[in-house]
Amino acid sequence: MATRILVVGLGNLSHPFTRHSIGQLALDSLATRLGVHLSADKLKGGYSAETNVDIDGRPLNIALYKTMAAMNISGPPVSMALRKTTRAPYSLVVIHDSLEHKPTVLSPKFGGSANGHNGVRSLISALGTKEFHRLRLGIGRPESDVAGYVLTRLPNHERQFWAPDGPGLDLVWEHILRIALQIDRPAQ
């Protein structure tokens, strides 16, 4: 049986291409790279796609998902998507923005606190656990007006970095593959 993972991109659909929606940008790029189209899925409250890939002779089923809900209340729909796909929080990979990392830096993390990120806080609350994978994409931190900063559009060079053929997406894919190889349990 194939290993299953759920990859979620956090952001706000109402603010595409902004720093706060970099997780959704990366997810869209990943869907393009994998040759799948994210379709509206009312049962999961978002947009989803699924595909199978082969990793060194091991089958991997990847479900991609982004919620229609605002980031700060994304926990319940992500929890629902997880129940309908992998069921196990350790097979969840969440891609999101990080003020604590410089632009174009990817920092993986498993478990731990939300570090002030309201979208991750919502996920932890809805899932009842911190035990899931996170790929934190750096957006840098301004000296003031964080709320305004995260809602500004990403500079073109950063959008290109996380584009389907960009070096940032290569990093995202490498980390997803590492996570998939760590997961011992096959899909149920």
Side-chain angles (χ1 to χ4, degrees), residues 4 19-20 36 41 69-70 78 96 100 112 129 134-135 142 152 155 157 159-161 165 171 173 186:
R4 292 192 81 183
R19 288 178 170 92
H20 209 34
V36 296
D41 187 336
V78 170
H96 66 87
E100 305 308 317
T129 184
R134 294 164 47 190
L135 298 180
T152 59
H157 74 278
R159 281 197 312 271
Q160 292 305 313
F161 187 80
D165 59 351
L171 295 173
W173 183 240

mmCIF file of all heavy atoms in Angstrom, residues 4 19-20 36 41 69-70 78 96 100 112 129 134-135 142 152 155 157 159-161 165 171 173 186:
data_model
loop_
_atom_site.group_PDB
_atom_site.id
_atom_site.type_symbol
_atom_site.label_atom_id
_atom_site.label_comp_id
_atom_site.label_asym_id
_atom_site.label_seq_id
_atom_site.Cartn_x
_atom_site.Cartn_y
_atom_site.Cartn_z
ATOM 1 N N ARG A 4 0.658 7.732 2.493
ATOM 2 C CA ARG A 4 -0.170 8.895 2.167
ATOM 3 C C ARG A 4 0.266 10.079 2.999
ATOM 4 O O ARG A 4 0.507 9.953 4.192
ATOM 5 C CB ARG A 4 -1.641 8.619 2.460
ATOM 6 C CG ARG A 4 -2.245 7.576 1.544
ATOM 7 C CD ARG A 4 -3.725 7.558 1.681
ATOM 8 N NE ARG A 4 -4.259 8.654 0.862
ATOM 9 C CZ ARG A 4 -5.538 8.970 0.783
ATOM 10 N NH1 ARG A 4 -6.427 8.318 1.471
ATOM 11 N NH2 ARG A 4 -5.937 9.959 0.009
ATOM 12 N N ARG A 19 2.641 38.150 1.130
ATOM 13 C CA ARG A 19 3.545 37.422 2.019
ATOM 14 C C ARG A 19 2.772 36.425 2.894
ATOM 15 O O ARG A 19 3.235 35.316 3.130
ATOM 16 C CB ARG A 19 4.320 38.414 2.879
ATOM 17 C CG ARG A 19 5.358 39.190 2.106
ATOM 18 C CD ARG A 19 6.072 40.206 3.006
ATOM 19 N NE ARG A 19 7.208 40.770 2.322
ATOM 20 C CZ ARG A 19 7.159 41.886 1.609
ATOM 21 N NH1 ARG A 19 6.029 42.551 1.494
ATOM 22 N NH2 ARG A 19 8.250 42.333 1.009
ATOM 23 N N HIS A 20 1.604 36.829 3.348
ATOM 24 C CA HIS A 20 0.811 35.972 4.234
ATOM 25 C C HIS A 20 0.286 34.732 3.511
ATOM 26 O O HIS A 20 -0.016 33.728 4.147
ATOM 27 C CB HIS A 20 -0.352 36.781 4.806
ATOM 28 C CG HIS A 20 -0.809 36.348 6.150
ATOM 29 N ND1 HIS A 20 0.027 35.847 7.134
ATOM 30 C CD2 HIS A 20 -2.045 36.362 6.708
ATOM 31 C CE1 HIS A 20 -0.664 35.576 8.216
ATOM 32 N NE2 HIS A 20 -1.928 35.860 7.995
ATOM 33 N N VAL A 36 -1.175 18.396 -11.504
ATOM 34 C CA VAL A 36 -2.546 18.247 -11.032
ATOM 35 C C VAL A 36 -3.194 19.622 -10.890
ATOM 36 O O VAL A 36 -2.516 20.630 -10.753
ATOM 37 C CB VAL A 36 -2.633 17.476 -9.699
ATOM 38 C CG1 VAL A 36 -2.131 16.052 -9.879
ATOM 39 C CG2 VAL A 36 -1.880 18.174 -8.585
ATOM 40 N N ASP A 41 -13.652 21.673 -3.472
ATOM 41 C CA ASP A 41 -14.134 20.477 -2.806
ATOM 42 C C ASP A 41 -14.963 20.927 -1.609
ATOM 43 O O ASP A 41 -14.436 21.198 -0.533
ATOM 44 C CB ASP A 41 -12.948 19.624 -2.354
ATOM 45 C CG ASP A 41 -13.360 18.275 -1.796
ATOM 46 O OD1 ASP A 41 -14.510 18.138 -1.324
ATOM 47 O OD2 ASP A 41 -12.523 17.354 -1.818
ATOM 48 N N ALA A 69 -11.412 29.033 3.976
ATOM 49 C CA ALA A 69 -11.515 29.862 5.181
ATOM 50 C C ALA A 69 -10.283 30.745 5.325
ATOM 51 O O ALA A 69 -9.203 30.424 4.817
ATOM 52 C CB ALA A 69 -11.645 28.966 6.413
ATOM 53 N N ALA A 70 -10.438 31.857 6.016
ATOM 54 C CA ALA A 70 -9.306 32.727 6.313
ATOM 55 C C ALA A 70 -8.276 31.955 7.131
ATOM 56 O O ALA A 70 -8.612 31.024 7.870
ATOM 57 C CB ALA A 70 -9.775 33.956 7.077
ATOM 58 N N VAL A 78 -8.944 22.218 7.789
ATOM 59 C CA VAL A 78 -7.765 21.363 7.606
ATOM 60 C C VAL A 78 -7.947 20.063 8.378
ATOM 61 O O VAL A 78 -7.619 18.984 7.882
ATOM 62 C CB VAL A 78 -6.469 22.096 8.025
ATOM 63 C CG1 VAL A 78 -5.287 21.131 8.053
ATOM 64 C CG2 VAL A 78 -6.174 23.250 7.072
ATOM 65 N N HIS A 96 3.680 27.344 5.384
ATOM 66 C CA HIS A 96 3.180 28.655 5.807
ATOM 67 C C HIS A 96 4.292 29.700 5.859
ATOM 68 O O HIS A 96 5.481 29.368 5.830
ATOM 69 C CB HIS A 96 2.455 28.557 7.151
ATOM 70 C CG HIS A 96 3.343 28.187 8.311
ATOM 71 N ND1 HIS A 96 4.046 29.120 9.035
ATOM 72 C CD2 HIS A 96 3.621 26.992 8.872
ATOM 73 C CE1 HIS A 96 4.723 28.519 9.993
ATOM 74 N NE2 HIS A 96 4.479 27.218 9.908
ATOM 75 N N GLU A 100 9.931 34.986 11.167
ATOM 76 C CA GLU A 100 11.194 34.746 11.866
ATOM 77 C C GLU A 100 12.331 34.323 10.943
ATOM 78 O O GLU A 100 13.461 34.184 11.405
ATOM 79 C CB GLU A 100 10.991 33.682 12.949
ATOM 80 C CG GLU A 100 9.877 34.002 13.938
ATOM 81 C CD GLU A 100 10.012 35.394 14.551
ATOM 82 O OE1 GLU A 100 11.135 35.796 14.916
ATOM 83 O OE2 GLU A 100 8.980 36.087 14.658
ATOM 84 N N GLY A 112 5.965 21.411 18.186
ATOM 85 C CA GLY A 112 6.318 22.688 18.780
ATOM 86 C C GLY A 112 5.185 23.691 18.737
ATOM 87 O O GLY A 112 4.104 23.423 18.224
ATOM 88 N N THR A 129 -3.329 18.550 18.637
ATOM 89 C CA THR A 129 -1.930 18.118 18.725
ATOM 90 C C THR A 129 -1.028 19.116 18.010
ATOM 91 O O THR A 129 -1.483 19.830 17.102
ATOM 92 C CB THR A 129 -1.737 16.711 18.123
ATOM 93 O OG1 THR A 129 -0.376 16.300 18.318
ATOM 94 C CG2 THR A 129 -2.060 16.680 16.636
ATOM 95 N N ARG A 134 5.901 21.060 9.550
ATOM 96 C CA ARG A 134 5.723 22.419 9.048
ATOM 97 C C ARG A 134 6.909 22.794 8.178
ATOM 98 O O ARG A 134 8.060 22.514 8.515
ATOM 99 C CB ARG A 134 5.618 23.395 10.219
ATOM 100 C CG ARG A 134 4.362 23.163 11.028
ATOM 101 C CD ARG A 134 4.369 23.815 12.379
ATOM 102 N NE ARG A 134 4.802 25.198 12.369
ATOM 103 C CZ ARG A 134 5.065 25.892 13.467
ATOM 104 N NH1 ARG A 134 4.931 25.336 14.648
ATOM 105 N NH2 ARG A 134 5.454 27.134 13.395
ATOM 106 N N LEU A 135 6.612 23.405 7.056
ATOM 107 C CA LEU A 135 7.636 24.000 6.206
ATOM 108 C C LEU A 135 7.409 25.505 6.262
ATOM 109 O O LEU A 135 6.460 26.019 5.679
ATOM 110 C CB LEU A 135 7.541 23.478 4.768
ATOM 111 C CG LEU A 135 7.750 21.970 4.587
ATOM 112 C CD1 LEU A 135 7.638 21.595 3.118
ATOM 113 C CD2 LEU A 135 9.080 21.510 5.165
ATOM 114 N N PRO A 142 9.292 43.110 9.327
ATOM 115 C CA PRO A 142 9.479 44.561 9.211
ATOM 116 C C PRO A 142 9.776 45.171 10.586
ATOM 117 O O PRO A 142 9.568 44.515 11.614
ATOM 118 C CB PRO A 142 8.124 45.034 8.699
ATOM 119 C CG PRO A 142 7.163 44.098 9.363
ATOM 120 C CD PRO A 142 7.875 42.756 9.356
ATOM 121 N N THR A 152 1.157 42.780 2.052
ATOM 122 C CA THR A 152 1.717 43.371 0.827
ATOM 123 C C THR A 152 2.113 42.249 -0.126
ATOM 124 O O THR A 152 2.403 41.121 0.281
ATOM 125 C CB THR A 152 2.938 44.261 1.122
ATOM 126 O OG1 THR A 152 3.945 43.477 1.761
ATOM 127 C CG2 THR A 152 2.559 45.456 1.973
ATOM 128 N N PRO A 155 7.545 40.467 -3.519
ATOM 129 C CA PRO A 155 8.355 40.973 -4.631
ATOM 130 C C PRO A 155 8.481 39.899 -5.707
ATOM 131 O O PRO A 155 8.441 38.695 -5.413
ATOM 132 C CB PRO A 155 9.708 41.272 -3.990
ATOM 133 C CG PRO A 155 9.448 41.342 -2.519
ATOM 134 C CD PRO A 155 8.264 40.462 -2.254
ATOM 135 N N HIS A 157 10.978 38.674 -7.380
ATOM 136 C CA HIS A 157 12.043 37.667 -7.231
ATOM 137 C C HIS A 157 11.662 36.594 -6.205
ATOM 138 O O HIS A 157 12.056 35.442 -6.346
ATOM 139 C CB HIS A 157 13.389 38.315 -6.887
ATOM 140 C CG HIS A 157 13.507 38.820 -5.486
ATOM 141 N ND1 HIS A 157 13.006 40.040 -5.082
ATOM 142 C CD2 HIS A 157 14.050 38.241 -4.383
ATOM 143 C CE1 HIS A 157 13.246 40.202 -3.803
ATOM 144 N NE2 HIS A 157 13.877 39.130 -3.345
ATOM 145 N N ARG A 159 8.420 35.635 -5.621
ATOM 146 C CA ARG A 159 7.407 34.805 -6.308
ATOM 147 C C ARG A 159 8.097 33.814 -7.237
ATOM 148 O O ARG A 159 7.722 32.647 -7.299
ATOM 149 C CB ARG A 159 6.433 35.685 -7.101
ATOM 150 C CG ARG A 159 5.380 36.340 -6.245
ATOM 151 C CD ARG A 159 4.207 36.862 -7.048
ATOM 152 N NE ARG A 159 4.534 37.653 -8.208
ATOM 153 C CZ ARG A 159 4.707 38.971 -8.217
ATOM 154 N NH1 ARG A 159 4.572 39.663 -7.102
ATOM 155 N NH2 ARG A 159 4.997 39.606 -9.326
ATOM 156 N N GLN A 160 9.120 34.280 -7.956
ATOM 157 C CA GLN A 160 9.843 33.394 -8.871
ATOM 158 C C GLN A 160 10.589 32.298 -8.121
ATOM 159 O O GLN A 160 10.715 31.180 -8.614
ATOM 160 C CB GLN A 160 10.804 34.202 -9.748
ATOM 161 C CG GLN A 160 10.106 35.115 -10.732
ATOM 162 C CD GLN A 160 9.128 34.360 -11.620
ATOM 163 O OE1 GLN A 160 9.449 33.308 -12.171
ATOM 164 N NE2 GLN A 160 7.908 34.863 -11.726
ATOM 165 N N PHE A 161 11.091 32.627 -6.940
ATOM 166 C CA PHE A 161 11.818 31.648 -6.135
ATOM 167 C C PHE A 161 10.930 30.465 -5.767
ATOM 168 O O PHE A 161 11.379 29.322 -5.750
ATOM 169 C CB PHE A 161 12.366 32.324 -4.871
ATOM 170 C CG PHE A 161 13.277 31.445 -4.061
ATOM 171 C CD1 PHE A 161 14.601 31.273 -4.434
ATOM 172 C CD2 PHE A 161 12.821 30.793 -2.920
ATOM 173 C CE1 PHE A 161 15.461 30.471 -3.688
ATOM 174 C CE2 PHE A 161 13.662 29.982 -2.165
ATOM 175 C CZ PHE A 161 14.989 29.825 -2.553
ATOM 176 N N ASP A 165 9.076 26.150 -11.270
ATOM 177 C CA ASP A 165 10.427 25.807 -11.715
ATOM 178 C C ASP A 165 11.502 26.514 -10.898
ATOM 179 O O ASP A 165 12.667 26.533 -11.273
ATOM 180 C CB ASP A 165 10.597 26.120 -13.200
ATOM 181 C CG ASP A 165 10.360 27.594 -13.519
ATOM 182 O OD1 ASP A 165 9.903 28.345 -12.628
ATOM 183 O OD2 ASP A 165 10.640 27.994 -14.659
ATOM 184 N N LEU A 171 13.393 22.985 -2.945
ATOM 185 C CA LEU A 171 13.581 22.755 -1.507
ATOM 186 C C LEU A 171 12.317 22.183 -0.870
ATOM 187 O O LEU A 171 12.382 21.252 -0.062
ATOM 188 C CB LEU A 171 13.966 24.056 -0.808
ATOM 189 C CG LEU A 171 15.300 24.672 -1.181
ATOM 190 C CD1 LEU A 171 15.448 26.046 -0.538
ATOM 191 C CD2 LEU A 171 16.443 23.752 -0.789
ATOM 192 N N TRP A 173 9.951 20.450 -2.299
ATOM 193 C CA TRP A 173 9.787 19.076 -2.748
ATOM 194 C C TRP A 173 10.762 18.138 -2.031
ATOM 195 O O TRP A 173 10.385 17.036 -1.607
ATOM 196 C CB TRP A 173 9.946 18.997 -4.264
ATOM 197 C CG TRP A 173 9.720 17.630 -4.827
ATOM 198 C CD1 TRP A 173 10.601 16.880 -5.535
ATOM 199 C CD2 TRP A 173 8.525 16.840 -4.731
ATOM 200 N NE1 TRP A 173 10.033 15.672 -5.875
ATOM 201 C CE2 TRP A 173 8.763 15.622 -5.401
ATOM 202 C CE3 TRP A 173 7.284 17.046 -4.138
ATOM 203 C CZ2 TRP A 173 7.811 14.621 -5.499
ATOM 204 C CZ3 TRP A 173 6.336 16.037 -4.242
ATOM 205 C CH2 TRP A 173 6.599 14.848 -4.910
ATOM 206 N N PRO A 186 1.709 2.690 6.220
ATOM 207 C CA PRO A 186 1.017 2.894 4.945
ATOM 208 C C PRO A 186 -0.380 3.464 5.167
ATOM 209 O O PRO A 186 -0.876 3.475 6.285
ATOM 210 C CB PRO A 186 0.951 1.495 4.341
ATOM 211 C CG PRO A 186 1.002 0.583 5.527
ATOM 212 C CD PRO A 186 1.839 1.285 6.571
#
